[in-house]
Amino acid sequence: MRIRFWGTRGSIPVALTAADVRDKLAQALVQASGRTFATYEEAHAFASSELDFSITHTFGGHSPCVEIELPGANEYFVCDMGSGARPFGVHVMAKQARAPATVNVFMSHVHWDHIMGFPFFGPAYAPGTKIRIHGVHDVLEHAFRLQQSPPCFPVEFDPLGADIEFVKLTADKPHTVGGLTVTPHLQLHSGDSYGYRFEHAGKVAIYSTDSEHKLENRAEAEGFAKFFRGADVVIFDAMYALAEAISVKADWGHSSNIVGVELCQMAHAKHLVLFHHEPANNDATLEGLLKEARRFEELTRTDHALKVSAAYDGLEIDL
Amino acid sequence: MTLASRRYAGAVVLRVEGRLDQDTCDTFRADLMREVDGAAREGGTVVLDLSGLEYVSSAGLRCFMLASREAKAMQARIYVAQLQPMVDEIFGISHFNLVFQVFPTVRDALAAVSPEAAAAYRKA
């Protein structure tokens, strides 16, 4: 199983500005002060090994879209249709080389940042493509049609070339979709959201975004620990630092890096991936939140180590 | 988890001992809110002496946050003092050091409350 991140930002897409790029370049030059590089490869090696991620990379700007690729499968599996669905669609069409694709979509919920990429999802316009949009919400189809209704978008939903089907799932019940076992789980978020547990060939991936955790509720924490139990990877809504999540942004429907570590430790999960990054946070702030989560994991580690990463557009994780 | 209270002029020092996590936070929260409520009614400041706090989880930190909110609503203040290294680091990691005024010692916290509170502490 391979997880491929096409969109990792929460709420609204963001882009690096010219000033951001200039700032990264200036910081890299300062850190390289006194060094000379005879070749591109030497400079590349220095940048890769000695500079922080936030200087050499960006966490990226597309809103949520995460692909799950199964070895040998001829179908696609993807969580949410945020703006990352546009490059995901380019990838699908290039890989298919004009052959029709079957794409299985799993929707956490239908807030705008999670559906906005669909009108720009190329395969939706290709006759012969099959798109099955799975979810627990009754309003799933309504939301997809609504965003392509006049005056919001020039192409309405009905003329789309693909064969598009909406498939209702039941919470906490395992479903089999194209060889993948999928179990949705209710989460606390305005209008409800659902996390997904994906199981295939002994590997488990959790997609749990737009989910707030009320810390005083032991039953809720234990329910999520059970849902995450033994996962190889947990993609987790870590939009805020803990103090922010439980003070000024309490009841906004999101969580923190610290709670992600605690729940994964309870669940004996192997790898926590911080996801749904706050759009106001720059790359340095996001890298800081990642370092803090890693340090918290070290401080509170008991019988097993938890790997902690931060998702970025383009990240691939092999399970 | 224990909570011991001592008064120094217009300040109440609450000494917190033990581990504050999901198993202990309900009782602790009730005790803390009662103490904060009492101190706030007298217009005082609460100093949390965390020298005996071995560990705090996110659920425990939430107790502090709720107490702070309660105190602010009653125009009172909560200071935090004398954190053990691990708890001090968790305060930083969770950004609670941006929410609370943290002092290296109880004496420093009381000096920030008032000269009378600091003098009462010295004499005790």
Side-chain angles (χ1 to χ4, degrees):
Chain A
M1 188 187 289
R2 172 174 289 170
I3 316 288
R4 191 176 285 123
F5 292 83
W6 295 99
T8 59
R9 188 70 63 160
S11 304
I12 192 166
V14 298
L16 281 182
T17 63
D20 293 333
V21 175
R22 186 184 56 212
D23 184 52
K24 284 173 188 281
L25 185 57
Q27 288 187 56
L29 289 170
V30 167
Q31 291 199 30
S33 183
R35 307 271 295 259
T36 58
F37 307 104
T39 63
Y40 168 83
E41 285 73 22
E42 278 183 29
H44 194 279
F46 165 76
S48 301
S49 61
E50 295 189 37
L51 298 181
D52 281 346
F53 180 95
S54 61
I55 295 177
T56 56
H57 294 68
T58 180
F59 286 91
H62 278 304
S63 69
C65 184
V66 178
E67 182 188 1
I68 295 170
E69 187 180 88
L70 300 186
N74 55 7
E75 296 188 8
Y76 295 85
F77 305 89
V78 65
C79 296
D80 285 334
M81 284 273 115
S83 68
R86 191 197 61 77
F88 170 58
V90 172
H91 164 78
V92 169
M93 295 186 82
K95 200 170 165 188
Q96 289 301 117
R98 299 194 179 194
T102 298
V103 182
N104 296 288
V105 181
F106 300 93
M107 294 300 304
S108 64
H109 64 313
V110 293
H111 282 168
W112 192 32
D113 51 325
H114 295 256
I115 62 173
M116 61 168 52
F118 190 74
F120 301 91
F121 182 55
Y125 296 81
T129 301
K130 286 183 184 165
I131 301 176
R132 299 191 197 104
I133 303 176
H134 303 75
V136 184
H137 293 82
D138 290 327
V139 294
L140 205 55
E141 182 167 357
H142 172 68
F144 274 81
R145 288 182 173 277
L146 185 65
Q147 76 166 342
Q148 288 189 240
S149 300
C152 296
F153 198 73
V155 183
E156 291 194 51
F157 194 86
D158 279 333
L160 291 173
D163 172 13
I164 302 171
E165 181 188 359
F166 289 87
V167 183
K168 183 97 162 65
L169 302 179
T170 305
D172 296 321
K173 180 186 167 193
H175 302 74
T176 303
V177 179
L180 188 62
T181 303
V182 186
T183 309
H185 186 67
L186 177 65
Q187 305 177 136
L188 180 61
H189 194 72
S190 170
D192 292 342
S193 72
Y194 290 86
Y196 288 95
R197 181 182 175 97
F198 297 100
E199 297 172 78
H200 179 78
K203 298 293 181 185
V204 178
I206 305 289
Y207 180 72
S208 176
T209 192
D210 294 67
S211 177
E212 183 166 356
H213 298 275
K214 291 296 182 188
L215 306 175
E216 72 278 21
N217 188 339
R218 169 174 279 281
E220 191 250 34
E222 287 173 350
F224 274 91
K226 187 179 169 195
F227 182 57
F228 292 177
R229 179 68 58 201
D232 295 281
V233 66
V234 176
I235 300 162
F236 187 84
D237 176 349
M239 195 158 178
Y240 309 126
L242 180 66
E244 201 179 9
I246 63 175
S247 58
V248 289
K249 290 173 181 174
D251 303 322
W252 285 25
H254 297 286
S255 191
S256 67
N257 53 354
I258 298 307
V259 171
V261 170
E262 288 183 338
L263 286 176
C264 284
Q265 286 172 330
M266 281 176 77
H268 291 268
K270 296 184 180 74
H271 186 179
L272 166 68
V273 181
L274 310 178
F275 184 73
H276 202 275
H277 305 307
E278 157 66 49
N281 285 344
N282 63 20
D283 289 322
T285 302
L286 293 177
E287 188 162 37
L289 288 167
L290 171 62
K291 286 177 179 172
E292 286 164 355
R294 285 177 171 162
R295 180 62 184 145
F296 184 73
E297 187 278 330
E298 281 176 2
L299 287 170
T300 58
R301 188 181 299 163
T302 51
D303 54 344
H304 87 292
L306 170 70
K307 181 179 179 183
V308 184
S309 307
Y312 58 90
D313 295 10
L315 172 65
E316 293 183 356
I317 297 173
D318 288 322
L319 303 182
Chain B
M1 213 48 242
T2 61
L3 193 62
S5 164
R6 291 195 71 173
R7 181 169 289 279
Y8 300 96
V12 174
V13 175
L14 297 177
R15 181 173 159 79
V16 181
E17 279 196 30
R19 289 175 63 84
L20 184 50
D21 55 24
Q22 209 155 35
D23 291 330
T24 55
C25 72
D26 281 350
T27 311
F28 173 77
R29 183 182 157 195
D31 292 346
L32 177 61
M33 292 306 241
R34 192 175 51 250
E35 293 284 357
V36 168
D37 194 59
R41 281 180 198 287
E42 294 170 25
T45 298
V46 173
V47 175
L48 291 173
D49 171 2
L50 301 188
S51 57
L53 182 65
E54 297 158 21
Y55 172 73
V56 60
S57 73
S58 61
L61 287 166
R62 185 168 181 276
C63 293
F64 293 143
M65 186 66 82
L66 292 173
S68 167
R69 205 178 293 168
E70 172 95 356
K72 271 183 192 158
M74 300 176 79
Q75 277 76 50
R77 291 174 300 184
I78 296 183
Y79 291 163
V80 175
Q82 219 156 313
L83 283 65
Q84 289 192 20
M86 183 183 186
V87 172
D88 187 33
E89 206 171 346
I90 291 174
F91 259 65
I93 283 169
S94 58
H95 297 195
F96 266 65
N97 57 350
L98 306 177
V99 177
F100 287 92
Q101 270 193 273
V102 179
F103 294 87
T105 64
V106 172
R107 180 190 296 258
D108 292 326
L110 288 171
V113 174
S114 69
E116 293 78 18
Y121 182 75
R122 273 197 303 275
K123 286 179 194 161

